[in-house]
Amino acid sequence: MKELFGSPGKKSGLILRTGQCVFAAASIGVMTSASGFSTTTAFCYLIASMGLQVLWSFGLLCLDIHALRFNRDLHTNIIVSLFVVGDWVTSTLSLAAASSSAGVMVLFTRDTNICMVDTNLSCDLFQISIAFAFASWFLLAISSYVMFWLVASI
Amino acid sequence: MKELFGSPGKKSGLILRTGQCVFAAASIGVMTSASGFSTTTAFCYLIASMGLQVLWSFGLLCLDIHALRFNRDLHTNIIVSLFVVGDWVTSTLSLAAASSSAGVMVLFTRDTNICMVDTNLSCDLFQISIAFAFASWFLLAISSYVMFWLVASI
């Protein structure tokens, strides 16, 4: 099996997983600290989806640390196939969640004046949270491509 | 190069491309026939994204017909690499567009009562259009995976 940037059990893979975890956790943190998020389903879905991504990325982060510490090889068919399915599911859900929240945010700020009228909504925090979610999705997408490439080139 | 379901120049590929084209065109048709869609950026973005998908899928559909009719082999590195990039870009844009519209739609129907209050909005048609967009994205996602698998297994 090829050795690629971001593949499991490598330092680049560890950096990617850490980035995914940090951005997803930041997205949840900022969104939950914003007032009025619970009135919009898309924002609640963003939190749920980012929560799943934190769990998934943190799990793989621990596996990477274990592999690096004890010099284990994670490039077996079963492990990489499992990673590829999980990565694709979480990345699709994350993109869907970030996009739906972004769609709602554009409606709030550009199509209507809800953000200006309803001062109870922390629109700036919503936008920061969505930006973090997109950053997290982007890093996860890179991981997914690498995993898919690894499993396809077996 | 492997011969897979949905690969270029095969009947299954032709069926997938036709499905993508038909669903994307149906999504545009239904959305443009709905009154009040232009007030929401997400719905306009859906039309733009589905328009791009129709152009892309129709181009590949014509290529597939040409290959089937004249018995040409489309499984060369350059052609499949070009397909894989185009497929991934359009599928990411389509999922983002469908999700953002779905997020806005949930806001209109569940979080608020905008659909009940504003009778000028054709909420049923919006929902049908979004469903078509998701169907089109799903077929495009299958094509993208097949293409990526083909290019990775060269």
Side-chain angles (χ1 to χ4, degrees), chain A residues 27-105:
Chain A
S27 176
I28 296 173
V30 174
M31 187 57 90
T32 46
S33 67
S35 68
F37 79 89
S38 58
T39 53
T40 308
T41 308
F43 296 155
C44 298
Y45 171 48
L46 185 78
I47 292 174
S49 173
M50 287 296 121
L52 179 74
Q53 190 169 322
V54 166
L55 287 177
W56 175 254
S57 297
F58 188 73
L60 297 196
L61 179 71
C62 293
L63 254 178
D64 275 347
I65 292 170
H66 173 81
L68 278 170
R69 196 161 177 188
F70 298 100
N71 220 3
R72 292 279 167 87
D73 185 20
L74 293 178
H75 287 74
T76 62
N77 284 9
I78 298 167
I79 291 179
V80 179
S81 303
L82 195 78
F83 285 1
V84 85
V85 174
D87 266 357
W88 279 109
V89 171
T90 43
S91 86
T92 306
L93 290 177
S94 296
L95 177 60
S99 302
S100 59
S101 298
V104 170
M105 208 55 237

Side-chain angles (χ1 to χ4, degrees), chain B:
Chain B
M1 200 179 272
K2 291 174 190 171
E3 284 286 337
L4 290 169
F5 170 85
S7 55
K10 283 190 75 181
K11 275 188 186 162
S12 51
L14 190 73
I15 294 167
L16 272 181
R17 296 294 170 193
T18 312
Q20 290 159 23
C21 234
V22 168
F23 280 122
S27 176
I28 296 173
V30 173
M31 188 56 90
T32 47
S33 67
S35 68
F37 79 90
S38 57
T39 53
T40 309
T41 308
F43 296 155
C44 298
Y45 172 48
L46 185 77
I47 292 175
S49 173
M50 286 296 121
L52 179 73
Q53 190 169 323
V54 166
L55 286 176
W56 175 253
S57 296
F58 187 73
L60 297 197
L61 179 71
C62 294
L63 255 179
D64 274 347
I65 292 171
H66 174 80
L68 278 171
R69 197 164 173 186
F70 298 101
N71 221 4
R72 294 277 167 86
D73 185 20
L74 293 177
H75 287 74
T76 63
N77 283 8
I78 299 168
I79 292 179
V80 178
S81 303
L82 195 78
F83 286 1
V84 84
V85 174
D87 265 357
W88 280 109
V89 171
T90 44
S91 86
T92 306
L93 290 178
S94 296
L95 177 61
S99 302
S100 59
S101 299
V104 171
M105 207 56 236
V106 171
L107 183 89
F108 280 1
T109 51
R110 288 192 53 190
D111 302 335
T112 60
N113 56 355
I114 292 177
C115 272
M116 294 220 278
V117 174
D118 192 347
T119 49
N120 189 37
L121 292 174
S122 313
C123 286
D124 291 340
L125 291 179
F126 293 159
Q127 289 178 22
I128 295 168
S129 171
I130 294 165
F132 279 140
F134 271 113
S136 181
W137 163 75
F138 183 71
L139 294 178
L140 189 60
I142 296 172
S143 285
S144 329
Y145 282 107
V146 172
M147 291 294 168
F148 198 68
W149 192 271
L150 279 174
V151 87
S153 61
I154 291 169

